[in-house]
Amino acid sequence: MSTDKKRHHYVPKAYLKAFVDAKGRIYVYRKDEPDKVLHVNPDTTQFQKYYYSQPLPEGGTDNNRLEDFFSTIEDRWPDVVARMKCREPLNDNLEQIFNFIALQRARVPAARDMVEATMATTVKATIASMIRAGKVQAPPAPLKLEDIAVTIDPHQSIHAMSTLIAAMGPIFSRMGLAVVHNQTGSPFLTSDNPVLWFDPSVPFAQQHPYNTRPNGPINLLFPVTPYVLVLGSNRYLETFREHGLLHTDVESDEWVHLVNAQISRFAYEAVIAQAPGTEAVIREFASVSPHEPSILEIDTAEIVVHRQVFGARPKKLKWVP
């Protein structure tokens, strides 16, 4: 009889172990308390209890199926990382690399909370339309509809993960990938939301997370170890189509610092480091995370705008069945 799994990691241990120090631990900086660093084993962080649990039609809950399936992808990742570090040809591993990156984009709280926030706003927009049509009564004054909390069953965002993974296909089709080897003394950071992309033609302060123009410039960053990173770019597309995934070096501390700034502000709740020394950049972006704002106008017509921005992370309300 299989044992129910309780600790469901959204950042897999197989990934985090590439960032451990000599003691087998990582440094976790929580954005809510950036000056309070946790020096922990990868097994004890970046998980939620029953995060992938699903209700069964006949009753009860399946706590293992998704966790077991994800493990089949995670278990092969350390071998890919080893090949990256040794600068080996990786074209026979491209499917594994694409699958791992896509899964890591879709499974994290940053993505699932965004889905639930979008659903909650859609519910409010529907109610607003029904109020104007006289199908339901408006909230009593001075209460406003936009002030009413709407929570979404987390099971719904589990279903949405497949859609988020499929949406990575068009993103990947716009870019080529390269493995960047960090030759500086400044290690790469990672986070609880390690897959990020943006429009590099827009100034840093004006960029929006996961927002690019159709067929426009795009950069994707995925830290693999403190000294290896997968870089996707439309500039690499033709080379990638001709030669596949190649290796390159970076010797610029300034470039590594800019990468760490992106990683820090794309981080949702936590930034992860192999060693102390990057507290300044972590602290600089501790007050912002990517999240989904929505605009709702009730008096005339609902206008729902879904666009991720960098800002204070909204507090997620607990779902009560």
Side-chain angles (χ1 to χ4, degrees), residues 34-57:
D35 295 318
K36 183 180 179 181
V37 62
L38 305 175
H39 191 210
V40 297
N41 186 291
D43 186 50
T44 63
T45 187
Q46 306 310 298
F47 71 88
Q48 290 184 22
K49 289 185 177 180
Y50 304 114
Y51 184 64
Y52 303 118
S53 296
Q54 302 180 85
L56 295 170

Side-chain angles (χ1 to χ4, degrees), residues 72-92:
T72 64
I73 298 174
E74 298 162 10
D75 289 347
R76 297 192 293 269
W77 185 244
D79 290 337
V80 176
V81 173
R83 297 187 68 186
M84 286 186 185
K85 292 167 67 175
C86 294
R87 300 174 183 260
E88 294 182 12
L90 291 160
N91 289 340
D92 58 340

